[in-house]
Amino acid sequence: MEKLRVATLNIWNKAGPWTERLALMRKQVKDLSADIIGLQEVLRFIPDEKQPPVPAPDNDQASEIADGLGYNISYGIAADYSGGLKFGNALLTKYKILDSRTFRLPGADSGETRSLLYTLLETPWGRLPTYVTHLNWKLHHGVVRIKQAVYIAERIFVLSPVEADFLPPILLGDFNAGPQADEIRYLKGEHVIDGRSVYFADAWDYADANEPCTTYSRDNAYALKNGEPNRRIDYIFVRGPDKELRGEPSNVQRAFTETVQGAQGTVWASDHYGVVCDLSMSPK
């Protein structure tokens, strides 16, 4: 059966020992050999006067990570820090990019600005809509994340209608909410908001029951210093499987868990662990 390998990771911008983290991250990206990787907290620094902007390994974290590994890149700005410094989401893909757009999520009045990156890919099995996002991070911002989740679902149904000739859309990202949160339960069809409900399969529901599930984990020293509890906040969602069972997840596990010894001690790729899975692409 033909399968698509998909992964997601919040790269933690340039915090911590970035040079050491980058080398470890690139090694794990190469080892995973994923077809599609969604990245969050990606910094890009291109002075505003340089138009059109040309991302390169020395001014764009997505390009640094992907350099020489055979990926095309799309990028969506979530925050503009002025002077050319941008913060946002990125998609690394081995497939041709047909379209890429960025949408601002609700909640800017909360003090955070977040976005949804939409990328349409040309794959051997057909056109694949892929989305990458990163929701508000504060623990008490559940009400904001609910609005963001509703907006994301609506946007996906507008850009990727069920009746259109698309493969099942994929949604990747750091949702900053555990599986029991209303915003996640809404996406999984387990919670109704304003008389509406949707359904996206949470790939982790297809994982081995013995697989560790926390992606923001206190056994990672970068996460431990924030004093937050263990929880799974990074997700791969797929709208489906469809009626031909395309999009069915398998081989679901955590990714980017490898460590190395650096100049100042143990090095992790990020303060998050990622998620990786295979999605079936062949009709059954």
Side-chain angles (χ1 to χ4, degrees):
M1 180 182 297
E2 295 181 291
K3 294 185 178 182
L4 178 81
R5 172 148 280 206
V6 180
T8 185
L9 178 70
N10 180 318
I11 70 169
W12 198 35
N13 55 80
K14 287 201 172 183
W18 170 243
T19 301
E20 293 177 318
R21 292 201 303 108
L22 173 62
L24 177 59
M25 197 180 305
R26 280 176 49 80
K27 175 189 180 299
Q28 293 178 86
V29 166
K30 186 176 181 179
D31 290 346
L32 279 176
S33 192
D35 301 297
I36 294 170
I37 306 176
L39 303 175
Q40 303 86 47
E41 291 199 28
V42 180
L43 294 176
R44 173 177 283 186
F45 180 73
I46 303 176
D48 295 333
E49 61 270 18
K50 290 191 176 181
Q51 296 296 333
V54 180
D58 63 349
N59 63 20
D60 172 61
Q61 282 188 292
S63 298
E64 279 187 284
I65 294 166
D67 189 30
L69 298 179
Y71 287 100
N72 298 314
I73 300 171
S74 62
Y75 183 79
I77 297 168
D80 187 338
Y81 295 132
S82 75
L85 181 60
K86 309 296 193 295
F87 171 98
N89 305 301
L91 184 78
L92 311 185
T93 176
K94 294 182 178 179
Y95 300 119
K96 180 180 178 181
I97 295 173
L98 300 175
D99 190 13
S100 180
R101 306 180 216 173
T102 304
F103 301 91
R104 178 64 56 86
L105 297 185
D109 56 349
S110 68
E112 299 179 35
T113 55
R114 303 290 177 173
S115 69
L116 174 69
L117 171 64
Y118 159 69
T119 310
L120 183 62
L121 305 177
E122 184 179 84
T123 78
W125 309 282
R127 293 180 299 162
L128 175 63
T130 308
Y131 299 82
V132 185
T133 197
H134 181 198
L135 306 191
N136 272 39
W137 74 268
K138 292 181 181 177
L139 296 176
H140 64 285
H141 277 185
V143 65
V144 180
R145 288 189 291 272
I146 286 174
K147 294 177 183 177
Q148 292 170 339
V150 169
Y151 176 88
I152 288 168
E154 290 176 345
R155 184 55 48 188
I156 291 174
F157 278 94
V158 169
L159 292 168
S160 314
V162 174
E163 64 275 10
D165 184 23
F166 291 120
L167 294 166
I170 300 168
L171 173 60
L172 311 168
D174 171 8
F175 287 74
N176 278 307
Q180 75 289 344
D182 286 346
E183 50 270 39
I184 302 301
R185 293 174 57 240
Y186 174 73
L187 291 172
K188 294 175 61 174
E190 298 173 357
H191 181 63
V192 174
I193 297 177
D194 295 332
R196 295 174 294 178
S197 61
V198 298
Y199 177 73
F200 293 82
D202 176 358
W204 201 268
D205 289 343
Y206 292 75
D208 187 317
N210 296 318
E211 175 72 17
C213 67
T214 54
T215 59
Y216 199 78
S217 176
R218 294 171 65 86
D219 64 13
N220 180 323
Y222 303 150
L224 177 63
K225 69 179 185 178
N226 286 330
E228 297 179 11
N230 289 330
R231 60 203 196 279
R232 178 165 69 91
I233 59 177
D234 302 89
Y235 295 84
I236 296 173
F237 288 108
V238 58
R239 192 183 69 199
D242 67 8
K243 62 184 179 181
E244 297 180 314
L245 295 185
R246 297 178 303 176
E248 183 178 4
S250 62
N251 301 320
V252 187
Q253 56 190 302
R254 293 194 306 180
F256 299 97
T257 58
E258 184 180 339
T259 61
V260 295
Q261 288 302 305
Q264 302 298 321
T266 304
V267 175
W268 287 261
S270 173
D271 63 337
H272 287 239
Y273 298 132
V275 181
V276 63
C277 78
D278 294 329
L279 299 176
S280 62
M281 290 290 108
S282 300
K284 292 184 182 179

